[in-house]
Amino acid sequence: MDSSGHQLHIFVFPYMAHGHMIPTVDLAKLFALRGLKATIITTPLNAPLISKTIRRTKGLGVDIDIRTLKFPSVEAGLPEGCENVDSITSHDNGSFELIFRFNKATTMLQEPLEMLLQECQPDCLVADLLFPWATDAAAKFGIPSFYEVEPAYVDYYRKVLGRRAWPIGPVSLCNRGIEDKAQRGNEASISENECLKWLDSKKPNSVIYICFGTITSGKPMVTWPVFADHFYNEKLVSEVLQIGIGVGVKEWVAVHGEHVKSEAIETAITEVMVSGQAEEMRRRARKLGEMARKAVEEGGSTYSNLNDLVEELRTPRHRPKIRAIKHNNQHLQRNCYISVSLFYFYCDLHL
């Protein structure tokens, strides 16, 4: 609470895809664990997935909950019940048309979101970068997950561009226990214990894990960008941090389709696992993993930045700041507006 006894209330609104929902919900948990009231905005069919994820956090007595907006699937030309990008599984020529319709449907959420803002009057809104109608132009910039990964870029953002930034990732490390981690996203086909038992039966450095990449694991990566900011992420991993090898993709899949040969994948895996530079990549990745864990501990850069951000939100000078959102010829009075982008291992916050 701030000095007036008011409990700060934060709205968190992730894009409806697991790669976006998981880190954004982790962000909501971080705010809730610092004493803020956190409300996650989603759609009815996505709500049970998020509810499962936050159940243990709610059990700690923190104030975190879910509000839903009806997703206009049919109105946008989608099949009934299509409320998550992951439900668009077809890779035929029509899949990109469905994704286009899905994104069109998300723009139709603007009015119901504004109505919810008017009803609840939260202190700030954290909206996904893929909701440009909710986040303002500030969300065009990407900030790393934690300061130590890209200090030069954070310093440039703060000192040269003159924008305030609070790097507070990697948000995934708010999940300390195995059960907390296992309950995120879709239901796994095997239990976490069975998975760990299988991994323990293998030799060190002999298993390949296919996923959306993350530095927090402290493992080198084979990178396969598909679209959007993936290519910048690949450049960071392979050229700047030097903890990964690409498979050779140079253009968006949506434009040219997938043309990765098996030989290219084999070459990249070999370089990461058994080549002369493999051990050095593993060493650098382990070091980054250790830096990530230290960053979220008390006294670390992320821990301190999150404290600073919460205190910034509590500062009374933000209360007179008004952001007007037009809704049905009325003006919604907003205290403060934060835009956030969470892609893989970075997040971007602005006031």
Side-chain angles (χ1 to χ4, degrees):
M1 295 186 181
D2 62 20
S3 57
S4 67
H6 169 73
Q7 183 184 24
L8 292 172
H9 186 188
I10 185 168
F11 265 24
V12 178
F13 189 21
Y15 184 73
M16 285 69 74
H18 290 300
H20 294 245
M21 290 165 58
I22 290 173
T24 308
V25 171
D26 283 344
L27 178 65
K29 290 160 69 174
L30 278 175
F31 279 116
L33 290 168
R34 295 300 176 98
L36 280 68
K37 175 181 174 62
T39 299
I40 302 162
I41 311 303
T42 191
T43 66
L45 292 185
N46 287 299
L49 297 171
I50 295 175
S51 180
K52 178 190 66 172
T53 302
I54 66 173
R55 188 178 301 127
R56 284 171 59 84
T57 305
K58 285 175 66 73
L60 298 175
V62 301
D63 201 347
I64 184 169
D65 216 333
I66 300 170
R67 292 292 297 266
T68 60
L69 304 175
K70 180 184 179 298
F71 193 74
S73 304
V74 176
E75 295 88 332
L78 292 166
E80 182 73 44
C82 181
E83 298 186 11
N84 192 300
V85 169
D86 292 359
S87 64
I88 303 174
T89 57
S90 171
H91 292 283
D92 60 21
N93 292 332
S95 63
F96 292 112
E97 174 63 25
L98 289 177
I99 292 175
F100 173 81
R101 294 179 185 177
F102 187 92
N103 288 331
K104 176 185 176 183
T106 66
T107 66
M108 298 165 71
L109 294 174
Q110 181 171 355
E111 184 173 335
L113 174 65
E114 291 176 357
M115 294 175 66
L116 192 60
L117 290 171
Q118 186 176 40
E119 173 192 341
C120 299
Q121 290 287 299
D123 293 284
C124 59
L125 168 69
V126 177
D128 198 290
L129 178 65
L130 292 184
F131 299 142
W133 43 267
T135 60
D136 260 355
K140 293 177 180 178
F141 302 93
I143 299 294
S145 53
F146 53 100
Y147 178 83
E148 288 82 357
V149 174
E150 297 173 294
Y153 301 109
V154 178
D155 290 341
Y156 176 84
Y157 196 79
R158 288 170 170 167
K159 298 175 182 178
V160 179
L161 297 182
R163 296 178 179 270
R164 289 177 293 165
W166 296 267
I168 60 170
V171 293
S172 62
L173 292 183
C174 72
N175 303 283
R176 299 289 180 159
I178 293 176
E179 188 174 351
D180 290 319
K181 297 173 183 176
Q183 288 183 346
R184 298 154 77 232
N186 276 334
E187 191 75 27
S189 57
I190 60 174
S191 72
E192 59 269 25
N193 291 329
E194 186 178 350
C195 180
L196 291 173
K197 182 179 178 181
W198 181 85
L199 285 171
D200 287 340
S201 71
K202 305 302 176 184
K203 295 180 179 178
N205 303 319
S206 66
V207 175
I208 299 171
Y209 178 50
I210 301 174
C211 67
F212 286 117
T214 171
I215 282 174
T216 61
S217 64
K219 303 294 182 183
M221 298 181 230
V222 171
T223 58
W224 189 331
V226 178
F227 57 87
D229 60 339
H230 298 184
F231 296 89
Y232 295 104
N233 296 341
E234 178 183 59
K235 187 171 184 178
L236 172 67
V237 167
S238 61
E239 298 181 25
V240 179
L241 301 178
Q242 297 182 346
I243 59 169
I245 300 292
V247 297
V249 177
K250 300 298 182 184
E251 296 174 307
W252 282 34
V253 171
V255 177
H256 295 284
E258 294 189 50
H259 300 288
V260 179
K261 295 182 178 179
S262 60
E263 294 84 356
I265 299 173
E266 179 183 1
T267 298
I269 291 174
T270 299
E271 286 193 51
V272 166
M273 297 189 73
V274 297
S275 73
Q277 61 177 327
E279 183 53 41
E280 182 60 22
M281 274 193 285
R282 280 195 285 269
R283 185 193 66 77
R284 286 193 289 264
R286 281 195 299 269
K287 183 178 180 180
L288 283 168
E290 293 168 1
M291 291 165 63
R293 287 185 285 275
K294 289 180 179 178
V296 301
E297 294 173 356
E298 187 169 358
S301 62
T302 287
Y303 187 94
S304 299
N305 285 332
L306 184 57
N307 280 344
D308 292 344
L309 175 58
V310 171
E311 289 306 311
E312 181 78 14
L313 294 174
R314 286 175 174 156
T315 302
R317 66 187 175 85
H318 280 303
R319 293 295 161 79
K321 288 179 66 176
I322 300 297
R323 179 178 181 85
I325 301 177
K326 194 164 186 178
H327 171 62
N328 292 339
N329 296 321
Q330 296 178 350
H331 283 82
L332 243 135
Q333 303 267 307
R334 300 299 321 115
N335 294 329
C336 165
Y337 193 89
I338 292 182
S339 83
V340 169
S341 66
L342 283 163
F343 283 87
Y344 309 106
F345 47 80
Y346 63 79
C347 72
D348 172 12
L349 297 96
H350 320 262
L351 288 178

